[in-house]
Amino acid sequence: MKNISLVLGKSLLCLLLAVPALLFPDNIRVGLYESEPAIFTDASGQPAGLYIDLLDQIAGEEGWKIDYVRVTWAEGLKLLEKNEIDIVCNMGLLPERKERFSFPEVAVLNTYSRVFVKEGSSVNSLLDLKDKSVAVLEGSTHEVKFIEYSKDFNLNIRIIPVKDHETA
């Protein structure tokens, strides 16, 4: 397979990470979904990835206990909205999200999308996706941006929201 990288903008480290520890209870509930290498479950079933390492470091310094809650991306957003979890990692900043959630001021990581196609495909750029179907993570910044790109460039891309990367 070949992949095409499309820059979609900044991804922020973790929602609420910049909020002082005083606002959190002793236990922090973090949505754990599969987005390797950023955040995922390793072969032994343990949370792993860049965000996990960083959260664990901060939790150690602040005296927090982290409870990882296994979710899909879309489930994590819903639980955050209902205050059933405290943090969702790797959330892209969108205007409607900024109205509902608190974001840190400094982005630790930039993110992008990859489009995977079959070997030998003629797809080499976003414009080559005209009238094609694209699977995207449901509720993600990528879904929003692909819909925008499709409209802006009159591409008529059929967006297929999926619950996780594995399903795509």
Side-chain angles (χ1 to χ4, degrees):
M1 285 191 183
K2 60 182 175 177
N3 73 56
I4 305 159
S5 297
L6 304 171
V7 176
L8 290 182
K10 291 186 176 181
S11 168
L12 300 176
L13 167 62
C14 286
L15 186 63
L16 302 175
L17 195 57
V19 176
L22 296 174
L23 296 180
F24 288 116
D26 292 336
N27 288 4
I28 308 300
R29 298 161 300 174
V30 176
L32 175 65
Y33 65 99
E34 302 302 313
S35 186
E36 192 171 347
I39 182 170
F40 63 100
T41 306
D42 69 14
S44 66
Q46 297 301 307
L50 170 70
Y51 294 108
I52 302 302
D53 293 344
L54 194 53
L55 276 173
D56 286 347
Q57 177 69 32
I58 293 168
E61 292 175 10
E62 297 295 330
W64 301 339
K65 180 185 178 298
I66 298 179
D67 295 323
Y68 290 102
V69 179
R70 295 184 194 286
V71 296
T72 64
W73 172 253
E75 289 169 344
L77 289 180
K78 289 175 187 170
L79 291 176
L80 185 66
E81 185 87 58
K82 297 189 304 187
N83 293 317
E84 293 180 21
I85 60 175
D86 303 303
I87 295 176
V88 170
C89 295
N90 200 25
M91 181 184 289
L93 180 60
L94 295 172
E96 59 272 17
R97 289 182 182 165
K98 194 169 184 176
E99 291 176 14
R100 297 184 347 230
F101 306 121
S102 298
F103 285 84
E105 296 204 16
V106 178
V108 174
L109 183 67
N110 287 331
T111 191
Y112 57 91
S113 287
R114 290 186 201 175
V115 177
F116 292 91
V117 296
K118 290 181 182 176
E119 193 68 45
S121 169
S122 62
V123 174
N124 291 301
S125 78
L126 178 67
L127 299 178
D128 294 333
L129 295 174
K130 183 173 179 61
D131 298 320
K132 301 213 181 305
S133 298
V134 176
V136 296
L137 190 60
E138 180 183 14
S140 69
T141 308
H142 309 294
E143 180 180 23
V144 171
K145 290 299 181 184
F146 264 102
I147 290 169
E148 285 179 17
Y149 294 152
S150 182
K151 288 177 184 172
D152 290 349
F153 293 101
N154 195 29
L155 297 176
N156 193 36
I157 297 172
R158 181 172 164 248
I159 304 298
I160 304 170
V162 296
K163 67 178 183 168
D164 55 39
H165 291 105
E166 201 170 291
T167 304

